[in-house]
Amino acid sequence: MRLQISLAVAFGLLGTWADAGLQARLDTPGIASAFDARLDGTSAVSGREGPTEAEALEAADSRACESKRAAVLAEPGLPGAPRFEAIRAQMVARAKTDPVVFVRTPEPEQNVNHVARAYRADLTTTDHAWDALARYLPHLQYRPDIGRQTLLREGYLYSESPDLAFAITQQVRVEHLFNAPQVWIQRGELTMHARRNARGRYVFIDGPQAKEDVRLLHLDRIGVGAPSEPLHRDLRSLRYRLHFDRIRVVHITPSHMVVELDYGKIAVPAVLKTEGAHVDLECRILASEASDALQAQNRLNQRRQRVVQALRQAILAEIDDRLPFDEPLHEVGQQDGRLRSSWQSAYLRHRTWFKFNDERYYVYDGNGHPRVPQVCVDFLTDSFERASGTWWRDLGSEPGRNIGLLDFSQEDLKLRRVPDFVQFAVDHPQWFEVYTTAERERIEMGYKPRFFDYLAASAHLYQPGDIVVIRGFTPQDSEEMHYHSFFVYETDPVTSVPIAIAGNAAWPSLRTWEVEARRTPLRTVWHRIRPKLEWLERIIAPSRGLSEAAPPRARDSG
């Protein structure tokens, strides 16, 4: 009876640096008339005479903001990084990146060693950036000065080649660039510090990843001494504070940005003030007819952000636990998915190891956390359960699970195969929204320019917390199509393209689409499954996911 009741409860493209696009929206008759009426002191919504006190204050704020916007637009604009922005969607989807915006393009150092000049020329012209970089890194480890001259632009790990950016994030470490006892790393609006340890590796000593080895991201800025003024602006962190869906940059000055913030279908002209990389809202312009709709959409976005943050916390916990993929070290035929039942049997019998096909597997990790084997769809269901408070107890406690607001094991739900999970989602439209791609959308991921162009054009279909199902032949099996599934972890605030995905293919990880494209180039996107907000709110406790800080982007080797 408890199981049935518990289950019922659980389930009850960047614009230019110009003002034309923004002005066109203000010139739209419906928006313009409502805005003019608001400034004139009448209500375009109800037709009543005279505004309320709140409406009068909003109108005054909008009038002041319109003046501020005009003043900022009159200032000389900074150029941004137009070559990078022209291929932004590909860059942020293919290389693990903190998706900042630049006020101008970082420039390479001109007075460089002849070796660095040769390395740099090769890396910017080769069609095999991974191999070229791999050849140079052993030398750079002993000559980090050449590493800086080769790879850094005014301190930034900056490239306008997706292949080189991917190679940099996968291969380059701080010790290829510096041998100083301590360095600083600017990532978004954060400035963190790292110290070189006895192994010669740099470890964060502060910030959200303190005590972790440094994993560099594309567009990180690295240096020693006192940092100079940064060339980047952090719009990612701003989105977690303002809860907008997308931002369009219109004009940049040293201290301000004129932008347009999208909240669903509502476009809000705004002025941002900047201090270094940090960005805050200074003011916004809002037509009276959009005020209530904006508040409603903002509340909706905040609600979704809370539950998705809780889901991310569960995902990161599984990454930290490094849960193994459910595939035996030595298989007899196809035995994916068979380890979990053997693990559970040993776990419930207070064992610390078990055998499968004469190989030994551990029940707990070195920290005493349950080492639960997962197939890819287990990562999905485990993440939902863990976000709800359901998970296996640690070593030293009575074996079993603490049961939260969701427990998929309560009924005979066979969800360990991707097709079964997809069908389950289709059969429960009150919990999930399923989008199935048309045949023309199924572009093999190995055709990278075409696939990533499709992903950019389809960015509106994806949001954090969505599930993506891909299907196709694999390098190991060219006769039968195989499925894989993962979460959309985060999207770019400028283009909305998914920039990080989370799943278990060999171990839980945050990955880029590039990793999936290289791993299984013949697979295509078949389904996007969206957990509905109301369902997520029923399975996630109100106390979870309250942080408005941008979530970690580097946590693993993916």
Side-chain angles (χ1 to χ4, degrees):
M1 178 63 70
R2 166 179 167 75
L3 299 183
Q4 293 173 344
I5 292 174
S6 182
L7 188 64
V9 171
F11 289 122
L13 292 158
L14 180 69
T16 59
W17 306 140
D19 196 30
L22 183 56
Q23 189 60 50
R25 288 177 181 259
L26 288 176
D27 289 343
T28 301
I31 295 177
S33 61
F35 182 70
D36 292 342
R38 176 178 173 151
L39 297 187
D40 291 340
T42 61
S43 172
V45 178
S46 64
R48 67 180 185 272
E49 292 187 5
T52 66
E53 182 177 354
E55 288 172 338
L57 289 173
E58 283 188 0
D61 289 343
S62 289
R63 186 183 300 111
C65 193
E66 181 67 14
S67 297
K68 179 66 180 181
R69 173 178 170 276
V72 174
L73 287 171
E75 296 180 27
L78 297 171
R83 291 192 301 273
F84 179 88
E85 294 298 340
I87 55 170
R88 181 186 183 90
Q90 290 230 10
M91 296 298 299
V92 298
R94 295 180 63 179
K96 190 170 282 189
T97 304
D98 201 299
V100 298
V101 166
F102 284 93
V103 300
R104 65 170 174 82
T105 302
E107 296 295 335
E109 186 179 345
Q110 296 303 311
N111 185 23
V112 300
N113 181 289
H114 69 282
V115 175
R117 192 177 303 280
Y119 287 176
R120 187 193 293 174
D122 188 20
L123 289 172
T124 54
T125 58
T126 181
D127 292 329
H128 306 284
W130 181 281
D131 295 336
L133 185 60
R135 286 197 305 271
Y136 302 145
L137 287 182
H139 179 56
L140 300 186
Q141 189 159 351
Y142 299 99
R143 289 294 306 273
D145 57 322
I146 294 179
R148 292 193 298 274
Q149 294 174 7
T150 302
L151 297 172
L152 297 185
R153 290 189 177 197
E154 298 187 67
Y156 288 95
L157 272 173
Y158 179 93
S159 172
E160 293 167 358
S161 161
D163 288 329
L164 179 55
F166 176 78
I168 286 171
T169 61
Q170 297 294 301
Q171 298 187 57
V172 175
R173 302 192 303 272
V174 180
E175 49 267 33
H176 294 127
L177 307 169
F178 289 93
N179 57 10
Q182 184 170 310
V183 299
W184 50 259
I185 298 165
Q186 289 186 338
R187 180 172 296 166
E189 65 181 20
L190 294 178
T191 299
M192 303 170 287
H193 298 83
R195 186 173 294 142
R196 195 162 190 170
N197 62 17
R199 296 182 293 116
R201 301 296 295 269
Y202 284 87
V203 177
F204 284 115
I205 59 175
D206 57 16
Q209 294 177 254
K211 300 183 180 179
E212 295 181 22
D213 285 357
V214 175
R215 281 293 315 279
L216 293 173
L217 302 185
H218 187 229
L219 307 186
D220 277 354
R221 186 185 185 213
I222 314 154
V224 295
S228 59
E229 279 295 305
L231 301 178
H232 69 280
R233 301 292 183 260
D234 184 2
L235 301 181
R236 174 177 178 250
S237 295
L238 181 72
R239 180 167 64 173
Y240 285 90
R241 296 193 296 271
L242 298 186
H243 314 109
F244 56 82
D245 296 304
R246 182 171 174 173
I247 186 169
R248 292 178 177 83
V249 179
V250 176
H251 189 70
I252 302 177
T253 73
S255 60
H256 288 87
M257 301 175 74
V258 174
V259 299
E260 186 176 302
L261 306 175
D262 283 356
Y263 290 84
K265 296 181 179 180
I266 304 168
V268 181
V271 177
L272 308 178
K273 57 183 177 182
T274 63
E275 184 176 351
H278 180 76
V279 182
D280 268 327
L281 177 69
E282 178 156 322
C283 65
R284 64 185 185 184
I285 304 168
L286 185 64
S288 57
E289 67 176 13
S291 180
D292 291 343
L294 174 63
Q295 291 183 36
Q297 185 64 47
N298 193 32
R299 286 193 297 269
L300 186 67
N301 288 1
Q302 288 186 62
R303 288 167 56 198
R304 185 158 191 93
Q305 179 175 303
R306 183 190 71 80
V307 293
V308 171
Q309 287 282 55
L311 187 60
R312 288 192 184 105
Q313 290 167 8
I315 288 169
L316 293 173
E318 291 171 64
I319 291 172
D320 290 343
D321 288 347
R322 201 173 175 82
L323 300 181
F325 191 78
D326 193 340
E327 181 179 25
L329 295 174
H330 297 95
E331 292 185 270
V332 180
Q334 174 55 256
Q335 293 184 305
D336 285 11
R338 297 278 296 276
L339 291 177
R340 193 168 177 121
S341 60
S342 297
W343 172 88
Q344 183 173 332
S345 176
Y347 171 83
L348 294 175
R349 291 160 51 207
H350 297 264
R351 300 285 300 275
T352 58
W353 59 272
F354 65 95
K355 276 193 171 184
F356 190 94
N357 289 350
D358 294 325
E359 294 280 355
R360 177 178 287 200
Y361 300 86
Y362 291 102
V363 173
Y364 300 93
D365 66 16
N367 296 315
H369 301 319
R371 200 165 180 266
V372 190
Q374 293 178 324
V375 292
C376 69
V377 75
D378 290 331
F379 184 87
L380 308 180
T381 55
D382 286 350
S383 297
F384 286 130
E385 286 188 338
R386 201 160 181 170
S388 83
T390 298
W391 194 240
W392 305 91
R393 300 187 190 105
D394 288 347
L395 179 65
S397 301
E398 182 64 23
R401 296 195 306 163
N402 296 318
I403 303 299
L405 296 176
L406 174 64
D407 182 6
F408 279 116
S409 71
Q410 293 171 61
E411 294 187 5
D412 187 22
L413 300 175
K414 302 185 188 309
L415 299 180
R416 300 201 70 209
R417 294 177 64 252
V418 174
D420 294 333
F421 184 87
V422 173
Q423 189 59 52
F424 177 80
V426 170
D427 292 342
H428 294 79
Q430 69 275 35
W431 304 327
F432 298 99
E433 172 194 315
V434 180
Y435 173 80
T436 300
T437 57
E439 185 65 33
R440 65 180 182 278
E441 298 177 85
R442 293 177 182 167
I443 301 167
E444 291 180 352
M445 299 170 71
Y447 293 104
K448 292 179 188 176
R450 189 174 167 214
F451 173 77
F452 284 103
D453 284 347
Y454 155 76
L455 194 64
S458 305
H460 62 283
L461 296 175
Y462 300 96
Q463 63 185 30
D466 286 353
I467 294 163
V468 178
V469 174
I470 60 176
R471 187 187 183 201
F473 299 111
T474 68
Q476 297 77 27
D477 189 346
S478 60
E479 296 182 358
E480 181 181 353
M481 286 189 171
H482 292 261
Y483 287 92
H484 184 48
S485 58
F486 45 82
F487 285 107
V488 173
Y489 181 83
E490 192 171 26
T491 59
D492 177 35
V494 176
T495 64
S496 293
V497 71
I499 59 174
I501 56 180
N504 191 336
W507 59 87
S509 62
L510 295 183
R511 297 171 175 244
T512 62
W513 290 86
E514 178 78 11
V515 172
E516 283 300 320
R518 292 185 179 222
R519 196 174 70 87
T520 53
L522 300 182
R523 283 177 172 165
T524 65
V525 176
W526 279 59
H527 306 284
R528 184 228 62 199
I529 301 173
R530 176 165 299 164
K532 291 195 171 179
L533 175 59
E534 294 75 12
W535 178 72
L536 287 173
E537 289 181 324
R538 283 200 294 273
I539 69 166
I540 294 176
S543 60
R544 293 176 179 264
L546 298 179
S547 172
E548 291 194 341
R553 287 282 292 113
R555 197 67 158 234
D556 64 290
S557 60

